[in-house]
Amino acid sequence: MREQGLTFRPDWEAVVSPAVDFALTLPETDPDRITLIGTSLGGYLAARAAAFEPRLAACILHDGVHSLSDTLGKLLTAPEAELLRITSGRWVVHNGLWTFGATDLDQLRELARAYTLAGVAGRITCPTLVLDAENDQFFRGQPDQVYAELSCPKRLIRFAEADGGGEHCHAGAAALWHRQAFDWLDATLTHTKRQVPA
């Protein structure tokens, strides 16, 4: 949607709630089993949306992201010219500026401050699965922070390098995390009836 001038926004419920509205108009949608899965930065976006969208039956954070600002603060410490010489640094700079609509790294860092689950994660009421990768180069330690702040029914699953799932979002081990996530969903959606606050 970037070509239409749309960028990321921290209040991701503004994106998800209209999607849920639409899904509920479809005859094949089971309103008691709507699940939101967020991958990479989606681990923040999905959690944020779940905190303010009560119609979700479950949420999967693949992986848990507590603070984008913390991540960018660590990744963007070198001068921009130096970052652009490194493949991963070049991707972070170019993709970050483009997807957030920032004109420079200072503005990107400023925009990132709003992407935090501090004071937000505890509002999530639907069962939530938090995934974690042993060697995540972007969000190491953040799934634990998210998990600690959740007060809803929750589960944390860690993926190890030895099992092939230790890299960011378990790259190279899709079948492994899919199996774990769908097993959790099967149990969760079978035994949990969605409770929508009055």
Side-chain angles (χ1 to χ4, degrees), residues 28-85:
E28 62 269 26
T29 298
D30 182 340
D32 291 321
R33 293 185 174 201
I34 296 175
T35 300
L36 182 61
I37 302 174
T39 296
S40 194
L41 178 59
Y44 161 80
L45 299 172
R48 167 67 196 213
F52 296 95
E53 175 47 75
R55 295 171 294 178
L56 298 175
C59 184
I60 297 175
L61 309 180
H62 172 233
D63 291 344
V65 177
H66 191 269
S67 169
L68 179 62
S69 184
D70 286 355
T71 296
L72 289 184
K74 293 171 186 172
L75 292 174
L76 302 179
T77 54
E80 185 172 347
E82 185 178 325
L83 287 168
L84 293 175
R85 285 196 293 269

Coordinates of all heavy atoms in Angstrom, one line a residue, residues 28-85:
E28 N -18.4 -17.3 5.3 CA -17.5 -18.4 5.8 C -16.7 -18.0 7.0 O -15.9 -18.8 7.6 CB -16.5 -18.7 4.6 CG -15.6 -17.6 4.2 CD -16.1 -16.8 3.1 OE1 -17.4 -16.7 2.9 OE2 -15.3 -16.2 2.3
T29 N -16.9 -16.8 7.5 CA -16.2 -16.4 8.7 C -16.9 -16.9 10.0 O -18.1 -16.7 10.1 CB -16.1 -14.8 8.8 OG1 -15.3 -14.4 7.7 CG2 -15.4 -14.4 10.1
D30 N -16.1 -17.5 10.9 CA -16.6 -17.9 12.2 C -16.2 -16.8 13.1 O -15.1 -16.6 13.4 CB -16.0 -19.2 12.6 CG -16.5 -19.7 14.0 OD1 -17.1 -18.9 14.7 OD2 -16.4 -20.9 14.3
P31 N -17.2 -16.0 13.6 CA -16.9 -14.9 14.5 C -16.2 -15.2 15.8 O -15.6 -14.4 16.4 CB -18.2 -14.2 14.7 CG -19.2 -15.2 14.4 CD -18.7 -16.2 13.4
D32 N -16.3 -16.5 16.2 CA -15.7 -16.9 17.4 C -14.3 -17.5 17.2 O -13.7 -18.0 18.2 CB -16.5 -18.0 18.1 CG -17.8 -17.4 18.6 OD1 -17.8 -16.3 19.1 OD2 -18.9 -18.1 18.5
R33 N -13.8 -17.4 16.0 CA -12.4 -18.0 15.7 C -11.5 -17.0 14.9 O -10.6 -17.5 14.3 CB -12.6 -19.3 15.0 CG -13.2 -20.4 15.8 CD -13.2 -21.7 15.1 NE -13.7 -22.7 16.0 CZ -13.5 -24.0 15.9 NH1 -12.8 -24.4 14.9 NH2 -14.0 -24.8 16.8
I34 N -11.8 -15.8 14.9 CA -11.0 -14.8 14.2 C -9.6 -14.7 15.0 O -9.6 -14.4 16.1 CB -11.6 -13.4 14.1 CG1 -12.9 -13.6 13.3 CG2 -10.7 -12.4 13.5 CD1 -13.7 -12.3 13.2
T35 N -8.6 -14.9 14.2 CA -7.2 -15.0 14.8 C -6.3 -14.0 14.0 O -6.4 -13.9 12.8 CB -6.6 -16.4 14.7 OG1 -7.4 -17.3 15.5 CG2 -5.2 -16.4 15.3
L36 N -5.5 -13.3 14.7 CA -4.6 -12.3 14.1 C -3.2 -12.8 14.3 O -2.8 -13.1 15.5 CB -4.7 -10.9 14.7 CG -3.9 -9.8 14.2 CD1 -4.1 -9.6 12.7 CD2 -4.1 -8.5 15.0
I37 N -2.4 -12.9 13.3 CA -1.0 -13.3 13.3 C -0.1 -12.2 12.8 O -0.4 -11.7 11.7 CB -0.7 -14.6 12.5 CG1 -1.6 -15.8 13.0 CG2 0.8 -15.0 12.6 CD1 -1.5 -17.0 12.2
G38 N 0.9 -11.8 13.6 CA 1.8 -10.8 13.2 C 3.2 -11.3 13.1 O 3.7 -11.8 14.0
T39 N 3.9 -11.1 11.9 CA 5.2 -11.5 11.7 C 6.2 -10.4 11.7 O 5.9 -9.3 11.1 CB 5.3 -12.3 10.4 OG1 4.5 -13.5 10.5 CG2 6.7 -12.7 10.0
S40 N 7.4 -10.6 12.3 CA 8.4 -9.6 12.4 C 7.9 -8.4 13.1 O 7.4 -8.5 14.2 CB 9.0 -9.3 11.0 OG 10.2 -8.6 11.2
L41 N 7.9 -7.2 12.5 CA 7.4 -6.0 13.2 C 5.9 -6.2 13.4 O 5.3 -5.6 14.3 CB 7.5 -4.7 12.3 CG 6.9 -3.5 12.9 CD1 7.5 -3.1 14.2 CD2 7.1 -2.3 11.9
G42 N 5.3 -7.1 12.7 CA 3.9 -7.5 13.0 C 3.7 -8.1 14.4 O 2.6 -8.1 14.9
G43 N 4.8 -8.5 15.0 CA 4.7 -8.9 16.4 C 4.3 -7.8 17.3 O 3.7 -8.0 18.4
Y44 N 4.7 -6.5 16.9 CA 4.2 -5.4 17.6 C 2.8 -5.0 17.1 O 1.8 -4.8 17.9 CB 5.1 -4.1 17.5 CG 4.3 -2.9 17.8 CD1 4.2 -2.5 19.1 CD2 3.7 -2.1 16.8 CE1 3.4 -1.3 19.4 CE2 3.0 -1.0 17.1 CZ 2.8 -0.6 18.4 OH 2.1 0.5 18.7
L45 N 2.6 -4.9 15.8 CA 1.4 -4.4 15.2 C 0.2 -5.3 15.6 O -0.9 -4.8 16.0 CB 1.5 -4.4 13.7 CG 2.6 -3.5 13.1 CD1 2.8 -3.7 11.6 CD2 2.3 -2.0 13.4
A46 N 0.4 -6.6 15.6 CA -0.7 -7.5 16.0 C -1.1 -7.4 17.5 O -2.3 -7.4 17.8 CB -0.4 -9.0 15.7
A47 N -0.1 -7.3 18.3 CA -0.3 -7.1 19.7 C -1.0 -5.8 20.0 O -2.0 -5.7 20.8 CB 1.0 -7.1 20.5
R48 N -0.6 -4.7 19.4 CA -1.2 -3.4 19.5 C -2.7 -3.5 19.1 O -3.6 -3.0 19.8 CB -0.5 -2.4 18.7 CG -1.2 -1.0 18.5 CD -1.4 -0.3 19.8 NE -2.4 0.8 19.7 CZ -2.3 2.0 20.3 NH1 -1.3 2.3 21.1 NH2 -3.3 2.8 20.1
A49 N -3.0 -4.1 18.0 CA -4.4 -4.2 17.5 C -5.2 -5.1 18.5 O -6.3 -4.7 18.8 CB -4.4 -4.8 16.1
A50 N -4.6 -6.2 18.9 CA -5.3 -7.1 19.9 C -5.7 -6.3 21.2 O -6.7 -6.7 21.8 CB -4.5 -8.3 20.1
A51 N -4.9 -5.4 21.6 CA -5.2 -4.6 22.8 C -6.4 -3.8 22.7 O -7.0 -3.5 23.7 CB -4.0 -3.8 23.2
F52 N -6.8 -3.4 21.5 CA -7.9 -2.5 21.3 C -9.1 -3.1 20.4 O -10.0 -2.4 20.1 CB -7.5 -1.2 20.7 CG -6.5 -0.5 21.6 CD1 -5.2 -0.6 21.5 CD2 -7.0 0.3 22.6 CE1 -4.3 0.1 22.4 CE2 -6.2 1.0 23.5 CZ -4.8 0.8 23.4
E53 N -8.9 -4.3 19.9 CA -9.9 -5.0 19.1 C -10.4 -6.2 19.8 O -9.8 -7.3 19.8 CB -9.3 -5.4 17.7 CG -10.2 -6.2 16.8 CD -11.6 -5.6 16.8 OE1 -11.8 -4.6 16.1 OE2 -12.6 -6.2 17.4
P54 N -11.6 -6.1 20.5 CA -12.1 -7.2 21.4 C -12.7 -8.4 20.6 O -13.0 -9.4 21.2 CB -13.1 -6.5 22.2 CG -13.6 -5.4 21.4 CD -12.4 -4.9 20.6
R55 N -12.8 -8.3 19.3 CA -13.5 -9.4 18.6 C -12.5 -10.5 18.2 O -12.9 -11.5 17.6 CB -14.2 -8.8 17.3 CG -15.3 -7.9 17.7 CD -15.9 -7.2 16.5 NE -14.9 -6.3 15.9 CZ -15.1 -5.5 14.8 NH1 -16.3 -5.6 14.2 NH2 -14.2 -4.7 14.4
L56 N -11.2 -10.4 18.5 CA -10.3 -11.4 18.2 C -10.4 -12.5 19.2 O -10.5 -12.3 20.4 CB -8.8 -10.8 18.2 CG -8.5 -9.7 17.2 CD1 -7.1 -9.2 17.5 CD2 -8.7 -10.2 15.8
A57 N -10.3 -13.8 18.6 CA -10.4 -15.0 19.5 C -9.0 -15.4 19.9 O -8.9 -16.1 20.9 CB -11.1 -16.1 18.7
A58 N -8.0 -15.0 19.2 CA -6.6 -15.4 19.5 C -5.7 -14.5 18.7 O -6.0 -13.9 17.7 CB -6.4 -16.9 19.2
C59 N -4.4 -14.4 19.2 CA -3.4 -13.6 18.6 C -2.1 -14.4 18.7 O -1.8 -15.0 19.7 CB -3.3 -12.3 19.3 SG -2.1 -11.1 18.6
I60 N -1.3 -14.4 17.6 CA 0.0 -15.0 17.6 C 1.0 -13.9 17.2 O 0.9 -13.3 16.2 CB 0.0 -16.2 16.5 CG1 -0.9 -17.3 17.0 CG2 1.5 -16.7 16.4 CD1 -1.0 -18.4 16.0
L61 N 2.0 -13.8 18.1 CA 3.1 -12.8 17.8 C 4.3 -13.6 17.4 O 5.0 -14.3 18.1 CB 3.4 -12.0 19.1 CG 2.1 -11.4 19.8 CD1 2.5 -10.7 21.1 CD2 1.4 -10.5 18.8
H62 N 4.7 -13.4 16.1 CA 5.7 -14.1 15.4 C 6.8 -13.2 14.9 O 6.9 -12.9 13.8 CB 5.1 -14.9 14.2 CG 6.1 -15.6 13.3 ND1 6.1 -15.4 12.0 CD2 7.0 -16.4 13.6 CE1 7.0 -16.1 11.4 NE2 7.6 -16.7 12.4
D63 N 7.6 -12.7 15.8 CA 7.8 -13.0 17.2 C 7.3 -11.8 18.1 O 7.0 -10.8 17.5 CB 9.2 -13.3 17.5 CG 9.7 -14.6 16.9 OD1 8.8 -15.4 16.5 OD2 10.9 -14.8 16.8
G64 N 7.4 -11.9 19.4 CA 7.0 -10.8 20.2 C 8.0 -9.6 20.1 O 9.2 -9.7 20.1
V65 N 7.4 -8.4 19.9 CA 8.1 -7.2 19.7 C 7.6 -6.2 20.8 O 6.4 -5.8 20.7 CB 8.0 -6.6 18.3 CG1 8.7 -5.2 18.2 CG2 8.5 -7.5 17.3
H66 N 8.5 -5.7 21.7 CA 8.1 -4.8 22.7 C 8.3 -3.4 22.4 O 7.5 -2.5 22.6 CB 8.8 -5.2 24.0 CG 8.2 -4.4 25.2 ND1 8.7 -3.2 25.6 CD2 7.2 -4.8 26.0 CE1 8.0 -2.8 26.7 NE2 7.1 -3.7 27.0
S67 N 9.5 -3.1 21.7 CA 9.8 -1.7 21.4 C 10.6 -1.6 20.2 O 11.8 -2.1 20.1 CB 10.6 -1.1 22.6 OG 11.2 0.1 22.2
L68 N 10.1 -1.0 19.1 CA 10.8 -0.8 17.9 C 11.9 0.2 18.1 O 13.0 0.1 17.6 CB 9.9 -0.3 16.8 CG 10.6 0.0 15.5 CD1 11.2 -1.2 14.9 CD2 9.6 0.6 14.5
S69 N 11.7 1.2 19.0 CA 12.7 2.2 19.3 C 14.0 1.6 19.9 O 15.1 2.0 19.5 CB 12.1 3.3 20.2 OG 13.0 4.3 20.5
D70 N 13.8 0.6 20.8 CA 15.0 0.0 21.3 C 15.8 -0.7 20.2 O 17.0 -0.7 20.2 CB 14.6 -1.1 22.4 CG 14.1 -0.4 23.7 OD1 14.2 0.8 23.8 OD2 13.6 -1.2 24.6
T71 N 15.1 -1.4 19.3 CA 15.7 -2.1 18.2 C 16.5 -1.1 17.3 O 17.7 -1.3 17.0 CB 14.7 -2.9 17.4 OG1 14.2 -3.9 18.3 CG2 15.4 -3.6 16.2
L72 N 15.8 -0.1 16.9 CA 16.5 0.9 16.0 C 17.6 1.6 16.7 O 18.6 1.9 16.0 CB 15.5 1.9 15.4 CG 14.5 1.3 14.4 CD1 13.6 2.4 13.9 CD2 15.2 0.6 13.3
G73 N 17.5 1.8 18.0 CA 18.5 2.5 18.7 C 19.8 1.6 18.7 O 20.9 2.2 18.6
K74 N 19.7 0.3 18.7 CA 20.9 -0.6 18.6 C 21.4 -0.7 17.2 O 22.6 -0.8 16.9 CB 20.5 -1.9 19.2 CG 20.2 -1.9 20.7 CD 19.7 -3.2 21.2 CE 19.3 -3.1 22.6 NZ 18.6 -4.3 23.1
L75 N 20.4 -0.8 16.2 CA 20.8 -1.0 14.8 C 21.4 0.2 14.1 O 22.2 0.1 13.3 CB 19.6 -1.6 14.0 CG 19.1 -2.9 14.4 CD1 17.8 -3.2 13.6 CD2 20.1 -4.0 14.1
L76 N 20.9 1.4 14.5 CA 21.3 2.6 13.7 C 22.3 3.4 14.5 O 22.2 4.7 14.5 CB 20.0 3.4 13.4 CG 18.9 2.6 12.6 CD1 17.7 3.5 12.4 CD2 19.5 2.2 11.3
T77 N 23.2 2.8 15.1 CA 24.2 3.6 15.9 C 25.4 4.1 15.0 O 25.9 5.1 15.3 CB 24.8 2.7 17.0 OG1 25.3 1.5 16.4 CG2 23.8 2.4 18.1
A78 N 25.6 3.4 13.9 CA 26.7 3.8 13.0 C 26.2 4.9 12.1 O 25.0 5.1 11.9 CB 27.2 2.6 12.2
P79 N 27.2 5.7 11.5 CA 26.8 6.7 10.5 C 26.1 6.0 9.3 O 26.4 4.9 9.0 CB 28.1 7.3 10.1 CG 29.0 7.0 11.2 CD 28.6 5.7 11.8
E80 N 25.2 6.8 8.7 CA 24.4 6.2 7.6 C 25.3 5.7 6.5 O 25.0 4.6 6.0 CB 23.4 7.3 7.1 CG 22.5 6.7 6.0 CD 21.4 7.7 5.6 OE1 21.3 8.7 6.3 OE2 20.8 7.5 4.6
A81 N 26.3 6.4 6.2 CA 27.2 5.9 5.1 C 27.8 4.5 5.4 O 27.9 3.6 4.5 CB 28.3 6.9 4.8
E82 N 28.1 4.3 6.7 CA 28.7 3.0 7.1 C 27.6 1.9 7.0 O 27.8 0.8 6.6 CB 29.3 3.1 8.5 CG 30.0 1.9 9.0 CD 30.6 2.1 10.3 OE1 31.0 3.2 10.6 OE2 30.6 1.1 11.1
L83 N 26.4 2.3 7.5 CA 25.3 1.3 7.5 C 25.0 0.9 6.0 O 24.7 -0.3 5.8 CB 24.0 1.9 8.1 CG 24.0 2.1 9.6 CD1 22.9 3.0 10.0 CD2 23.9 0.7 10.3
L84 N 25.1 1.8 5.1 CA 24.7 1.5 3.7 C 25.7 0.6 3.0 O 25.5 0.0 2.0 CB 24.6 2.8 2.9 CG 23.4 3.7 3.3 CD1 23.4 5.0 2.5 CD2 22.1 2.9 3.1
R85 N 26.9 0.4 3.6 CA 27.9 -0.5 3.1 C 27.6 -2.0 3.5 O 28.2 -2.9 2.9 CB 29.3 -0.1 3.5 CG 29.8 1.1 2.8 CD 31.3 1.2 3.0 NE 31.7 1.5 4.4 CZ 31.9 2.7 4.9 NH1 31.6 3.8 4.1 NH2 32.2 2.9 6.1

